[in-house]
Amino acid sequence: MKHTNVAIFVPHVGCTHRCSFCNQVKISGTAHSVTANTVRTAIEKAIGSKGYNQKDAEIAFFGGSF
């Protein structure tokens, strides 16, 4: 079966600068903080999509800064 990855993008909100190499808002396309409702909606959308594989699914949080 195909691996399912539910991706949640968390932009770095701790820094007020928007450097070209770490502008997480621009990179992730997400300007708002992630909430429990955001995660729930992403999971529900994934479950309802074609090819969703519950057995090999995982939630992955991306974003932040190095």
Side-chain angles (χ1 to χ4, degrees):
M1 280 276 174
K2 184 179 175 185
H3 176 79
T4 301
N5 187 12
V6 180
I8 309 293
F9 292 94
V10 183
H12 178 66
V13 294
C15 180
T16 58
H17 302 288
R18 298 295 177 246
C19 302
S20 61
F21 58 87
C22 72
N23 184 345
Q24 290 295 308
V25 173
K26 189 149 187 121
I27 293 167
S28 68
T30 304
H32 304 288
S33 296
V34 174
T35 64
N37 198 31
T38 306
V39 175
R40 185 178 302 110
T41 301
I43 293 169
E44 288 171 352
K45 184 176 179 181
I47 290 171
S49 68
K50 184 179 180 181
Y52 176 77
N53 179 12
Q54 183 176 0
K55 182 180 176 189
D56 292 321
E58 66 182 359
I59 300 170
F61 292 89
F62 297 99
S65 176
F66 50 83

